PDB file of all heavy atoms in Angstrom:
ATOM      1  N   GLU A  61      27.419  10.904 -45.362  1.00 80.00           N
ATOM      2  CA  GLU A  61      26.515  11.431 -46.348  1.00 80.00           C
ATOM      3  C   GLU A  61      27.131  11.701 -47.737  1.00 80.00           C
ATOM      4  O   GLU A  61      26.485  11.436 -48.747  1.00 80.00           O
ATOM      5  CB  GLU A  61      25.797  12.670 -45.803  1.00 80.00           C
ATOM      6  CG  GLU A  61      24.787  12.307 -44.614  1.00 80.00           C
ATOM      7  CD  GLU A  61      24.395  13.617 -43.864  1.00 80.00           C
ATOM      8  OE1 GLU A  61      24.980  14.654 -44.177  1.00 80.00           O
ATOM      9  OE2 GLU A  61      23.554  13.423 -42.957  1.00 80.00           O
ATOM     10  N   GLU A  62      28.363  12.191 -47.679  1.00 81.00           N
ATOM     11  CA  GLU A  62      29.007  12.650 -48.927  1.00 81.00           C
ATOM     12  C   GLU A  62      29.784  11.557 -49.691  1.00 81.00           C
ATOM     13  O   GLU A  62      29.901  11.597 -50.860  1.00 81.00           O
ATOM     14  CB  GLU A  62      29.897  13.863 -48.690  1.00 81.00           C
ATOM     15  CG  GLU A  62      29.213  15.002 -48.033  1.00 81.00           C
ATOM     16  CD  GLU A  62      28.133  15.658 -48.875  1.00 81.00           C
ATOM     17  OE1 GLU A  62      28.222  15.480 -50.067  1.00 81.00           O
ATOM     18  OE2 GLU A  62      27.255  16.266 -48.255  1.00 81.00           O
ATOM     19  N   ILE A  63      30.256  10.573 -48.914  1.00 78.00           N
ATOM     20  CA  ILE A  63      31.133   9.588 -49.560  1.00 78.00           C
ATOM     21  C   ILE A  63      30.526   8.163 -49.555  1.00 78.00           C
ATOM     22  O   ILE A  63      30.356   7.550 -50.602  1.00 78.00           O
ATOM     23  CB  ILE A  63      32.569   9.583 -48.947  1.00 78.00           C
ATOM     24  CG1 ILE A  63      33.162  10.922 -49.302  1.00 78.00           C
ATOM     25  CG2 ILE A  63      33.361   8.394 -49.430  1.00 78.00           C
ATOM     26  CD1 ILE A  63      34.548  11.126 -48.723  1.00 78.00           C
ATOM     27  N   VAL A  64      30.099   7.713 -48.329  1.00 78.00           N
ATOM     28  CA  VAL A  64      29.595   6.365 -48.257  1.00 78.00           C
ATOM     29  C   VAL A  64      28.306   6.247 -48.979  1.00 78.00           C
ATOM     30  O   VAL A  64      28.043   5.258 -49.787  1.00 78.00           O
ATOM     31  CB  VAL A  64      29.407   5.984 -46.793  1.00 78.00           C
ATOM     32  CG1 VAL A  64      28.799   4.616 -46.701  1.00 78.00           C
ATOM     33  CG2 VAL A  64      30.755   6.021 -46.057  1.00 78.00           C
ATOM     34  N   ALA A  65      27.435   7.234 -48.833  1.00 78.00           N
ATOM     35  CA  ALA A  65      26.114   7.163 -49.495  1.00 78.00           C
ATOM     36  C   ALA A  65      26.080   7.602 -50.898  1.00 78.00           C
ATOM     37  O   ALA A  65      24.990   7.675 -51.550  1.00 78.00           O
ATOM     38  CB  ALA A  65      25.014   7.909 -48.607  1.00 78.00           C
ATOM     39  N   SER A  66      27.188   8.087 -51.381  1.00 81.00           N
ATOM     40  CA  SER A  66      27.190   8.680 -52.814  1.00 81.00           C
ATOM     41  C   SER A  66      28.348   7.875 -53.537  1.00 81.00           C
ATOM     42  O   SER A  66      29.241   7.318 -52.960  1.00 81.00           O
ATOM     43  CB  SER A  66      27.565  10.131 -52.808  1.00 81.00           C
ATOM     44  OG  SER A  66      27.064  10.767 -51.656  1.00 81.00           O
ATOM     45  N   PRO A  67      28.256   7.942 -54.928  1.00 81.00           N
ATOM     46  CA  PRO A  67      29.340   7.320 -55.679  1.00 81.00           C
ATOM     47  C   PRO A  67      30.620   8.031 -55.418  1.00 81.00           C
ATOM     48  O   PRO A  67      30.711   9.263 -55.401  1.00 81.00           O
ATOM     49  CB  PRO A  67      28.859   7.516 -57.140  1.00 81.00           C
ATOM     50  CG  PRO A  67      27.371   7.812 -57.026  1.00 81.00           C
ATOM     51  CD  PRO A  67      27.157   8.479 -55.780  1.00 81.00           C
ATOM     52  N   SER A  68      31.698   7.251 -55.281  1.00 80.00           N
ATOM     53  CA  SER A  68      32.992   7.814 -54.971  1.00 80.00           C
ATOM     54  C   SER A  68      34.082   6.828 -55.268  1.00 80.00           C
ATOM     55  O   SER A  68      33.816   5.673 -55.586  1.00 80.00           O
ATOM     56  CB  SER A  68      33.000   8.181 -53.468  1.00 80.00           C
ATOM     57  OG  SER A  68      34.140   8.966 -53.124  1.00 80.00           O
ATOM     58  N   SER A  69      35.355   7.338 -55.261  1.00 84.00           N
ATOM     59  CA  SER A  69      36.394   6.440 -55.648  1.00 84.00           C
ATOM     60  C   SER A  69      36.696   5.418 -54.510  1.00 84.00           C
ATOM     61  O   SER A  69      36.365   5.606 -53.402  1.00 84.00           O
ATOM     62  CB  SER A  69      37.753   7.269 -55.840  1.00 84.00           C
ATOM     63  OG  SER A  69      38.169   7.682 -54.592  1.00 84.00           O
ATOM     64  N   ALA A  70      37.403   4.251 -54.961  1.00 83.00           N
ATOM     65  CA  ALA A  70      37.617   3.147 -53.998  1.00 83.00           C
ATOM     66  C   ALA A  70      38.479   3.601 -52.759  1.00 83.00           C
ATOM     67  O   ALA A  70      38.265   3.269 -51.618  1.00 83.00           O
ATOM     68  CB  ALA A  70      38.342   2.036 -54.705  1.00 83.00           C
ATOM     69  N   VAL A  71      39.527   4.559 -53.094  1.00 87.00           N
ATOM     70  CA  VAL A  71      40.378   4.993 -52.028  1.00 87.00           C
ATOM     71  C   VAL A  71      39.599   5.831 -51.075  1.00 87.00           C
ATOM     72  O   VAL A  71      39.696   5.671 -49.766  1.00 87.00           O
ATOM     73  CB  VAL A  71      41.556   5.799 -52.611  1.00 87.00           C
ATOM     74  CG1 VAL A  71      42.375   6.465 -51.452  1.00 87.00           C
ATOM     75  CG2 VAL A  71      42.404   4.988 -53.560  1.00 87.00           C
ATOM     76  N   SER A  72      38.728   6.759 -51.527  1.00 84.00           N
ATOM     77  CA  SER A  72      37.953   7.541 -50.628  1.00 84.00           C
ATOM     78  C   SER A  72      37.032   6.698 -49.785  1.00 84.00           C
ATOM     79  O   SER A  72      36.810   6.927 -48.622  1.00 84.00           O
ATOM     80  CB  SER A  72      37.069   8.592 -51.428  1.00 84.00           C
ATOM     81  OG  SER A  72      37.941   9.440 -52.202  1.00 84.00           O
ATOM     82  N   LYS A  73      36.451   5.672 -50.425  1.00 84.00           N
ATOM     83  CA  LYS A  73      35.556   4.820 -49.686  1.00 84.00           C
ATOM     84  C   LYS A  73      36.284   4.126 -48.567  1.00 84.00           C
ATOM     85  O   LYS A  73      35.825   4.021 -47.373  1.00 84.00           O
ATOM     86  CB  LYS A  73      34.929   3.679 -50.659  1.00 84.00           C
ATOM     87  CG  LYS A  73      33.986   4.230 -51.702  1.00 84.00           C
ATOM     88  CD  LYS A  73      32.576   4.219 -51.205  1.00 84.00           C
ATOM     89  CE  LYS A  73      31.581   4.527 -52.312  1.00 84.00           C
ATOM     90  NZ  LYS A  73      30.277   4.814 -51.836  1.00 84.00           N
ATOM     91  N   LYS A  74      37.489   3.597 -48.942  1.00 84.00           N
ATOM     92  CA  LYS A  74      38.260   2.841 -47.900  1.00 84.00           C
ATOM     93  C   LYS A  74      38.595   3.784 -46.687  1.00 84.00           C
ATOM     94  O   LYS A  74      38.400   3.381 -45.544  1.00 84.00           O
ATOM     95  CB  LYS A  74      39.592   2.420 -48.607  1.00 84.00           C
ATOM     96  CG  LYS A  74      40.209   1.240 -47.915  1.00 84.00           C
ATOM     97  CD  LYS A  74      39.926  -0.090 -48.655  1.00 84.00           C
ATOM     98  CE  LYS A  74      40.670  -1.233 -48.084  1.00 84.00           C
ATOM     99  NZ  LYS A  74      39.816  -2.193 -47.467  1.00 84.00           N
TER     100      LYS A  74
END
Side-chain angles (χ1 to χ4, degrees):
E61 288 167 357
E62 303 297 336
I63 293 178
V64 177
S66 328
S68 187
S69 73
V71 175
S72 301
K73 291 272 186 192
K74 202 99 174 115

